[in-house]
Amino acid sequence: MSDPNGAFRQRLLAIFADEARGHLARIADGLIALEGGPASQRPAGLEALLKVLHTLKGAARSVDLDHLERLCHALEGLCGALSRAPESLGAPEFDLLHRAVGLARELAGTPGGRTLNRAAGLCAELDQAAAQVPSRPGAASRGVAPPAAAG
């Protein structure tokens, strides 16, 4: 006798995998556009990425892919912080974002234990990077103090 719930879940995961590939392609394309585009377009580009990440996070939640949901949440945190201080977006942040998208592709498929362990570590990296982004626009990044006000 076959398991109707198991068969339904497999169909649902297949649909999710197709949807996730599309979302992740848009995210990767958006990152490439941000890297090559003018700095003035970064806030809008980051906001567009946030929308796609939020959709992917919700879809991952709906099929109980907790690791992917958590990674999307951490990506949202970094992109949100960077959207408030886009001048902080440099090569290290782009590298981290691209690594996260690559890992998200693995998590959207059939991830093994190593992939799940890497996801936890990368979430921590993303959270740490988000915490290091200045909280106000125009603030200096990476711990450098802003210029003192003339008095």
Side-chain angles (χ1 to χ4, degrees):
M1 185 188 246
S2 67
D3 177 13
N5 289 333
F8 175 74
R9 177 152 173 77
Q10 290 306 314
R11 284 193 309 271
L12 189 61
L13 287 171
I15 292 167
F16 168 80
D18 285 341
E19 182 181 321
R21 277 191 292 277
H23 291 312
L24 289 164
R26 281 191 294 284
I27 292 166
D29 291 346
L31 285 174
I32 291 168
L34 279 174
E35 281 183 283
S40 63
Q41 295 298 313
R42 286 185 174 172
L46 287 162
E47 287 298 323
L49 289 177
L50 281 166
K51 289 177 184 177
V52 180
L53 282 165
H54 188 73
T55 300
L56 180 57
K57 180 179 74 173
R61 181 183 307 124
S62 72
V63 293
D64 297 324
L65 294 180
D66 298 336
H67 287 85
L68 181 56
E69 178 187 356
R70 172 69 181 106
L71 183 62
C72 288
H73 182 75
L75 275 162
E76 280 182 316
L78 179 54
C79 287
L82 290 168
S83 71
R84 292 183 295 276
E87 69 282 355
S88 298
L89 183 54
E93 291 78 18
F94 278 119
D95 178 60
L96 182 58
L97 291 166
H98 282 294
R99 285 192 297 128
V101 170
L103 187 58
R105 282 188 176 109
E106 293 179 47
L107 291 171
T110 313
R114 286 187 181 164
T115 301
L116 298 177
N117 289 338
R118 285 182 20 234
L122 194 52
C123 286
E125 280 186 67
L126 289 161
D127 291 343
Q128 181 180 8
Q132 292 175 352
V133 174
S135 60
R136 64 185 195 291
S141 65
R142 292 170 190 58
V144 177

